[in-house]
Amino acid sequence: MNAVAVAVCGILIFFLGYKYYSKFLSTRIYQLDPNYQTPAHAFKDGVDFVPTNKWVLWGHHFTSVAGAAPIVGPAIAVYWGWLPAFLWVVLGTVFAAGVHDFGALVLSVRHKGQSVGTLASKIIGQRAKLLFLFIILILVLMVNAVFAWVISNLFIQFPAAVLSVFIQIPLAIWIGYTVYKKRGGMLLPSLCALVIMYFSAILSSRIPALQIDLPRYFGGEETIVAFGLNGVAFSFFIWIIILMIYVYVASTLPVWKLLQPRDYINSHQLVVGLAILYLGLLFSNPSITAPASNMSSDIPWFPLLFITIACGAISGFHGLVASGTSSKQLNKEPDARFVGYFGSIGEGLLALAAILAVVTYFNSENDFIGAYSSFDTANANGLGYFIEGSGVLATGIFLPADIATTIVAIIVVSFAATTLDTSVRLMRYIISELGQEYNIKPLTKMHVATGVAVTSSAALVLLPEGPQGFGSGGYVLWPLFGTSNQLLAGITLLLVTLWLKRQGRNYLFTLIPMIFLMIMTVWAMTHQVFMEWSGIAEGEDMNLLLFLLGAIILVFALWILLEALSGLWRKNTNNDHFST
């Protein structure tokens, strides 16, 4: 199969979805009002509530929701063949992700910029809020731990990328100061910052002295440095500590100082990365060597495909970002279509590129099958295949493979770092909400809540005995991410559906994807909890931690679902501004 033809087909569907379907949603379903005073203006504080240009906000929103997930999920899911992954990414983005992200953003904007966790109590009930916050808290904790793990490992694997990533921080602070204190434009400074970053990437790729290679400094695997750790493990420990210090500072700064300008730079990185991949694809014109479907897989694709590819098709984390940070920065309500729906289109384009980079990387179908011999090997090596495949595609536009690989690694790390500090900021919000709920005043303080978020995340990722050795503790809970994430998306769609119903609007366009997603996710999670983690499956040992947490999350999700469904038949008795 020709890869260019597949890419053109996917891009065309994305284009039609944004042009027609999102316009229909904005005018007929969500009914955006250009005169509505958004929370960014109503509660402007210069820290979290800041009216923001829609292009800048799109950059923040997209890079916050993207991270490495829309790359990792598709790169793993091609284990079942490229066709199921392609269909779910393209159709899921248009009819589920766009509806979900757009709807969560509008819902929050119409409710004072409050998070979906808070809105659950207003739309469903107080019990639902507490249950929902528990699921969200587990989810963001997993995101924090695993993304810190991913970034630290990429720093170790690609030391040429480190300099550019750290150069971006002072550049973003400078841009934030220039724009918000001197009222300058952000586009030209951001492009200049991007040029500086990639120039340093080229130099680092060719000059070893510029590569920040901690394992080399500490003697690598052969040298025990401290605490019984060799040079590689100790380097990982150092990177985690540095990252935790960074996210503590980044998540407490006003959004205009670092978050917005850095994310705007990263939105340009998206354009650069997609240009490298799609132009490389066009000029090299490779064939897809992976099979369209893998019917002999050791794990069935249905329904597990729909939780393996979360970000890139639909993701509950997007709703957290939309209602947690993006809604507080939306300048005008009609901007929600561009920020929310087009943000999901951007992630769909990245997920599609990830699929094509992997399935064109191998020389033959036998090579692909050998590399993807089991789901475990796909899970372990998917991200690496994407980065290597991207380097090969880049040679189609005469970009040296080593430089292209470094640039792709920079893009992945930049997106992952954005997601990491946004997730820590969201976790701080949740901890503060719980502090208010239970009258624990210290938890309502910004620095206390952030300290709890950072400390717990570091403790999880640095568990002494992770499944892949020291420092892989985040992966202890990672199998819960896909199901928890999709349950969160389904519940968020349910909140939007209830709100639309109470407004007397057509809610079928949120109800249908919600029903599909909840069925697939509950089905998959039931299989994981009661077959895999319980030890019932032949040859499997019981994983007590995953079994207990998975069972609790599943019960809580079903409880919320029942409470919410009962709300579909109850009249709305809330006549205040929450019903507008």
Side-chain angles (χ1 to χ4, degrees):
M1 184 70 182
N2 182 269
V4 174
V6 174
V8 170
C9 180
I11 293 171
L12 179 61
I13 295 173
F14 287 145
F15 170 77
L16 294 174
Y18 180 72
K19 183 173 178 61
Y20 296 107
Y21 192 52
S22 71
K23 185 177 181 180
F24 167 77
L25 292 171
S26 66
T27 57
R28 301 291 297 276
I29 307 302
Y30 298 138
Q31 299 180 12
L32 304 185
D33 181 3
N35 298 317
Y36 183 82
Q37 186 182 41
T38 63
H41 291 280
F43 310 107
K44 184 177 179 179
D45 61 5
V47 178
D48 294 318
F49 292 87
V50 179
T52 305
N53 177 278
K54 70 177 184 179
W55 290 93
V56 177
L57 182 55
W58 179 85
H60 155 71
H61 181 82
F62 170 75
T63 53
S64 294
V65 302
I71 296 170
V72 175
I76 294 171
V78 294
Y79 164 72
W80 292 299
W82 66 265
L83 185 58
F86 169 81
L87 291 175
W88 175 230
V89 163
V90 173
L91 299 179
T93 295
V94 171
F95 295 108
V99 177
H100 169 273
D101 297 14
F102 191 4
L105 182 55
V106 174
L107 181 65
S108 180
V109 166
R110 286 300 178 108
H111 292 76
K112 296 185 176 182
Q114 293 176 324
S115 70
V116 290
T118 299
L119 295 177
S121 68
K122 299 182 180 299
I123 296 175
I124 304 177
Q126 185 66 15
R127 280 195 304 265
K129 174 185 176 180
L130 297 177
L131 298 172
F132 203 18
L133 286 178
F134 174 81
I135 296 174
I136 294 171
L137 197 62
I138 293 294
L139 179 65
V140 294
L141 180 61
M142 288 187 287
V143 169
N144 295 344
V146 176
F147 275 57
W149 186 91
V150 168
I151 294 169
S152 298
N153 275 282
L154 287 176
F155 278 160
I156 292 172
Q157 294 174 32
F158 303 99
V162 176
L163 180 62
S164 294
V165 172
F166 279 91
I167 282 177
Q168 186 187 41
I169 297 173
L171 289 173
I173 294 173
W174 167 69
I175 292 171
Y177 175 81
T178 300
V179 172
Y180 288 95
K181 292 298 184 182
K182 296 189 175 182
R183 302 298 178 186
M186 189 176 287
L187 178 60
L188 184 59
S190 296
L191 294 176
C192 291
L194 202 62
V195 170
I196 293 171
M197 287 177 62
Y198 289 159
F199 180 71
S200 67
I202 294 172
L203 291 179
S204 297
S205 297
R206 298 300 168 85
I207 303 175
L210 295 178
Q211 299 177 9
I212 304 177
D213 190 354
L214 292 188
R216 183 181 65 190
Y217 305 152
F218 295 122
E221 295 182 355
E222 305 302 322
T223 303
I224 301 299
V225 179
F227 313 116
L229 304 177
N230 62 28
V232 175
F234 188 73
S235 300
F236 179 88
F237 175 79
I238 295 296
W239 280 129
I240 291 295
I241 298 302
I242 292 173
L243 282 173
M244 290 299 120
I245 294 172
Y246 161 75
V247 295
Y248 183 96
V249 175
S251 61
T252 55
L253 286 175
V255 291
W256 62 266
K257 283 189 176 181
L258 177 59
L259 187 74
Q260 288 180 350
R262 185 207 53 211
D263 293 353
Y264 193 53
I265 296 172
N266 287 341
S267 70
H268 296 137
Q269 289 210 74
L270 164 70
V271 176
V272 171
L274 292 178
I276 290 174
L277 294 173
Y278 282 108
L279 288 177
L281 190 73
L282 178 64
F283 289 110
S284 61
N285 194 26
S287 296
I288 295 176
T289 54
S293 63
N294 178 14
M295 304 306 294
S296 61
S297 58
D298 58 339
I299 295 179
W301 72 273
F302 195 88
L304 296 180
L305 171 73
F306 304 104
I307 62 170
T308 301
I309 299 181
C311 301
I314 182 171
S315 165
F317 185 74
H318 297 190
L320 297 183
V321 174
S323 65
T325 58
S326 299
S327 64
K328 297 175 177 62
Q329 302 172 59
L330 196 73
N331 185 36
K332 296 179 180 180
E333 195 172 69
D335 293 348
R337 177 191 175 199
F338 182 77
V339 174
Y341 196 96
F342 193 64
S344 67
I345 293 293
E347 188 160 76
L349 285 167
L350 182 58
L352 177 58
I355 292 172
L356 295 173
V358 173
V359 300
T360 59
Y361 171 63
F362 298 92
N363 293 324
S364 67
E365 183 173 319
N366 287 335
D367 289 342
F368 175 88
I369 293 173
Y372 280 79
S373 58
S374 70
F375 188 76
D376 288 340
T377 58
N379 192 49
N381 302 319
L383 181 59
Y385 290 141
F386 164 76
I387 293 176
E388 293 171 7
S390 299
V392 173
L393 286 181
T395 59
I397 53 174
F398 307 106
L399 190 64
D402 60 334
I403 293 175
T405 300
T406 298
I407 290 176
V408 172
I410 290 169
I411 293 172
V412 174
V413 169
S414 298
F415 286 176
T418 297
T419 301
L420 179 61
D421 68 51
T422 299
S423 181
V424 170
R425 187 180 290 260
L426 293 172
M427 193 170 179
R428 183 242 295 176
Y429 294 159
I430 296 166
I431 292 170
S432 295
E433 283 190 43
L434 291 173
Q436 293 173 354
E437 187 68 34
Y438 293 104
N439 198 28
I440 306 175
K441 291 186 178 180
L443 293 181
T444 63
K445 306 297 183 182
M446 180 174 67
H447 288 287
V448 174
T450 305
V452 172
V454 169
T455 302
S456 59
S457 300
L460 177 58
V461 76
L462 290 174
L463 281 176
E465 295 297 333
Q468 297 185 24
F470 171 79
S472 63
Y475 273 79
V476 170
L477 297 180
W478 186 245
L480 279 170
F481 172 79
T483 46
S484 302
N485 193 32
Q486 301 305 69
L487 283 173
L488 180 60
I491 295 169
T492 301
L493 279 172
L494 188 53
L495 292 176
V496 177
T497 300
L498 285 167
W499 176 67
L500 290 173
K501 180 179 182 295
R502 292 173 183 177
Q503 306 308 306
R505 302 177 194 172
N506 189 340
Y507 54 86
L508 287 177
F509 298 93
T510 56
L511 180 65
I512 292 172
M514 182 275 292
I515 292 173
F516 175 81
L517 192 63
M518 292 300 287
I519 290 174
M520 293 299 105
T521 307
V522 170
W523 184 358
M525 193 168 197
T526 301
H527 173 81
Q528 287 182 316
V529 171
F530 297 107
M531 294 300 294
E532 295 180 25
W533 302 332
S534 67
I536 292 177
E538 185 178 353
E540 296 288 339
D541 294 327
M542 183 178 188
N543 189 320
L544 184 61
L545 179 62
L546 288 179
F547 174 77
L548 290 177
L549 285 177
I552 291 171
I553 291 173
L554 181 59
V555 169
F556 281 10
L558 292 174
W559 191 349
I560 294 171
L561 182 62
L562 291 174
E563 296 239 1
L565 287 176
S566 67
L568 281 172
W569 289 273
R570 289 199 307 262
K571 289 185 177 180
N572 182 25
T573 58
N574 187 0
N575 295 317
D576 62 10
H577 58 275
F578 292 108
S579 301
T580 61

